[in-house]
Amino acid sequence: MKKLLFSLFGLFFTLLVQGQYSLTITLISKAPISDSDSLFVAGSFNGWNPSSSDYILQKQKDGKYVIQIKDRPAGICEFKFTRGTWAKVECSASGGDVNNHFLKINGDTSVSYEVEAWKDAFGTAIVKHTISPHVKIIDTAFVIPQLNRTRRIWIYLPDGYAQSDKRYPVLYLHDGQNVFDAATSFSGEWNVDETMDSLIKKGAKSCIVVAIDNGGSKRLNEYTPYDFNINDTQQIKAEGNEYLDFIAKVLKPFIDKTYRTNKDKSSTYIAGSSLGGLISFYALIKYPDIFGGAGIFSPSFWIIPQLNKTLEEAALRVNAKIFFYAGDKESETMVSLMDSVAEHIGLHTQSIIYKIVDPDGKHNEATWRKWFPEFYQWMVEEKYKRVNNKTKIK
């Protein structure tokens, strides 16, 4: 079985290498653009970085903007256009949010888009803050000593926290900008605070939620455990180990000291989507005695060249409750790779696996928001700790 799984991984990576195509995007902006402005495309292929120098559209003599992205793998990609920040993202003619662009690539592709308007033309009042009264910002510049950076940290304290002396489990979430507040999100929010409020009122177990903002242009680095190449010109230097060291050795001790938490492994969870799902999975390997559960939403397993080696290490170290999710309308290999990883962990560790494949699932916040309640309720429900570890739920 082990040999068969590794052979399947080899096949997946062979297909990924062979299916490389060119994507040409042409953009027409109906709203005026200053000569000092640059236009960018930000999406699933560059960690949603709104100002990556490798993804600038070049202005043509006819006023259109064009970019050619080489070496794209087959599958679905998702993106939006910006003028360098999410405050200057594309929007509708009335200032409302627009959906992400979805594109399925199965060969060299050329597409054209029109932008009606840009968000900053409508001021800051267009996107209202949506945070629950139970959410506050711990610090706008919490120090990450391992990376010599600072980061905004959010916390959700459940209803009744201030009136009790009980201790609570803790869930750590990546991409904090998208967790609680529509006004800070770069591609929609998860509505975690509203969902938690509702679930707790209905009798679900309470939990503290800590959300860590991503590092913007450093998101790819911080959520990656291994160096990898996006294309021939852009190598990503992995900083995932340092980022997890920060959570395990700095942030968690601070949270445990400042708030009434259950410090043990069985009450400490970590979750995220895409690259956030990948780094959450790696957290179980790097710190198996700290994290007892993880939510692995649409994980970017495809970027790990050493996935076989990683799974061998996981077989020796991981023992947790793990929620795996993928959608059929994501990349060509999203579901197959996730299935294989979940199967390997289920066969070779004592972990408890809950796996969902959504036939209509896309690679976006709306889909992850949809499945967050099921993940949360299963993760904190104590009865599932007694389920046979070989049980797979799909």
Side-chain angles (χ1 to χ4, degrees):
M1 177 61 73
K2 180 177 179 181
K3 185 175 181 180
L4 174 59
L5 286 172
F6 286 178
S7 296
L8 288 173
F9 283 125
L11 174 60
F12 292 141
F13 287 118
T14 298
L15 292 173
L16 285 173
V17 171
Q18 289 176 346
Q20 301 293 318
Y21 303 107
S22 173
L23 169 61
T24 301
I25 299 174
T26 300
L27 180 66
I28 300 171
S29 177
K30 292 186 174 181
I33 296 177
S34 168
D35 290 339
S36 62
D37 274 340
S38 294
L39 296 190
F40 301 83
V41 59
S44 55
F45 41 73
N46 69 347
W48 293 96
N49 182 348
S51 58
S52 172
S53 59
D54 291 318
Y55 292 88
I56 298 177
L57 286 81
Q58 301 300 319
K59 189 174 183 179
Q60 309 298 301
K61 292 181 180 180
D62 60 3
K64 298 177 181 178
Y65 292 80
V66 177
I67 184 173
Q68 185 179 54
I69 305 173
K70 297 181 179 180
D71 301 325
R72 285 297 308 147
I76 296 173
C77 60
E78 182 182 5
F79 51 89
K80 277 184 175 175
F81 300 103
T82 81
R83 292 185 4 262
T85 74
W86 291 111
K88 298 179 180 181
V89 69
E90 62 175 306
C91 64
S92 70
S94 60
D97 292 334
V98 294
N99 292 328
N100 296 337
H101 304 289
F102 286 89
L103 184 63
K104 185 172 184 178
I105 299 173
N106 51 21
D108 291 341
T109 305
S110 295
V111 290
S112 296
Y113 297 92
E114 290 186 349
V115 168
E116 297 284 344
W118 301 96
K119 202 69 168 179
D120 57 312
F122 297 87
T124 58
I126 292 298
V127 181
K128 296 180 180 180
H129 290 287
T130 59
I131 53 176
S132 157
H134 297 120
V135 176
K136 70 175 185 177
I137 295 174
I138 294 175
D139 196 337
T140 58
F142 199 103
V143 175
I144 305 177
Q146 291 83 355
L147 294 169
N148 194 27
R149 295 172 196 145
T150 62
R151 199 59 46 78
R152 179 172 53 188
I153 308 293
W154 313 64
I155 193 165
Y156 170 91
L157 297 175
D159 187 36
Y161 176 88
Q163 293 78 38
S164 74
D165 58 359
K166 67 180 291 188
R167 294 189 172 274
Y168 297 83
V170 182
L171 168 62
Y172 293 87
L173 290 174
H174 314 292
D175 288 316
Q177 295 98 321
N178 292 356
V179 172
F180 301 120
D181 194 355
T184 62
S185 67
F186 57 90
S187 53
E189 66 156 319
W190 283 41
N191 291 86
V192 167
D193 46 345
E194 293 91 346
T195 299
M196 295 288 293
D197 287 347
S198 177
L199 291 174
I200 291 170
K201 284 182 180 179
K202 294 176 181 177
K205 187 176 180 179
S206 298
C207 182
I208 293 172
V209 181
V210 177
I212 310 149
D213 274 14
N214 68 56
S217 62
K218 294 294 184 181
R219 181 179 184 271
L220 281 170
N221 307 83
E222 293 178 1
Y223 292 177
T224 305
Y226 305 105
D227 295 347
F228 75 100
N229 293 324
I230 291 183
N231 50 46
D232 291 338
T233 63
Q234 187 178 13
Q235 182 182 51
I236 301 302
K237 177 68 175 177
E239 297 176 341
N241 282 283
E242 292 83 357
Y243 173 70
L244 290 177
D245 288 345
F246 160 68
I247 296 176
K249 297 180 179 180
V250 178
L251 182 58
K252 184 180 186 300
F254 171 83
I255 296 296
D256 288 340
K257 180 179 179 180
T258 309
Y259 302 94
R260 295 193 311 277
T261 67
N262 286 329
K263 303 177 184 180
D264 57 283
K265 168 182 172 175
S266 63
S267 299
T268 305
Y269 321 119
I270 189 166
S273 60
S274 195
L275 285 169
L278 172 64
I279 200 64
S280 297
F281 177 75
Y282 191 69
L284 300 178
I285 300 173
K286 185 173 176 64
Y287 287 105
D289 296 330
I290 290 181
F291 298 106
I296 316 298
F297 291 82
S298 304
S300 300
F301 289 131
W302 61 271
I303 72 167
I304 304 182
Q306 309 95 329
L307 185 55
N308 290 351
K309 182 179 179 181
T310 300
L311 289 176
E312 288 180 333
E313 186 177 3
L316 298 174
R317 297 174 63 81
V318 174
N319 183 9
K321 293 179 68 176
I322 312 175
F323 178 97
F324 285 99
Y325 164 82
D328 270 331
K329 294 186 177 179
E330 300 189 62
S331 69
E332 295 290 332
T333 60
M334 176 63 73
V335 172
S336 56
L337 276 176
M338 185 203 72
D339 276 346
S340 296
V341 172
E343 184 72 13
H344 185 87
I345 297 300
L347 288 172
H348 298 285
T349 78
Q350 294 301 307
S351 298
I352 304 170
I353 307 297
Y354 192 121
K355 184 179 68 174
I356 288 177
V357 176
D358 184 348
D360 298 315
K362 297 179 180 179
H363 197 84
N364 60 22
E365 268 64 27
T367 302
W368 301 322
R369 178 171 64 239
K370 169 185 174 183
W371 289 107
F372 177 82
E374 185 146 353
F375 150 71
Y376 175 76
Q377 291 179 94
W378 177 77
M379 185 60 62
V380 302
E381 189 63 54
E382 293 182 357
K383 69 179 182 180
Y384 287 103
K385 295 177 182 178
R386 296 189 293 272
V387 174
N388 184 299
N389 69 288
K390 301 303 179 185
T391 298
K392 308 293 188 298
I393 307 174
K394 185 173 180 178

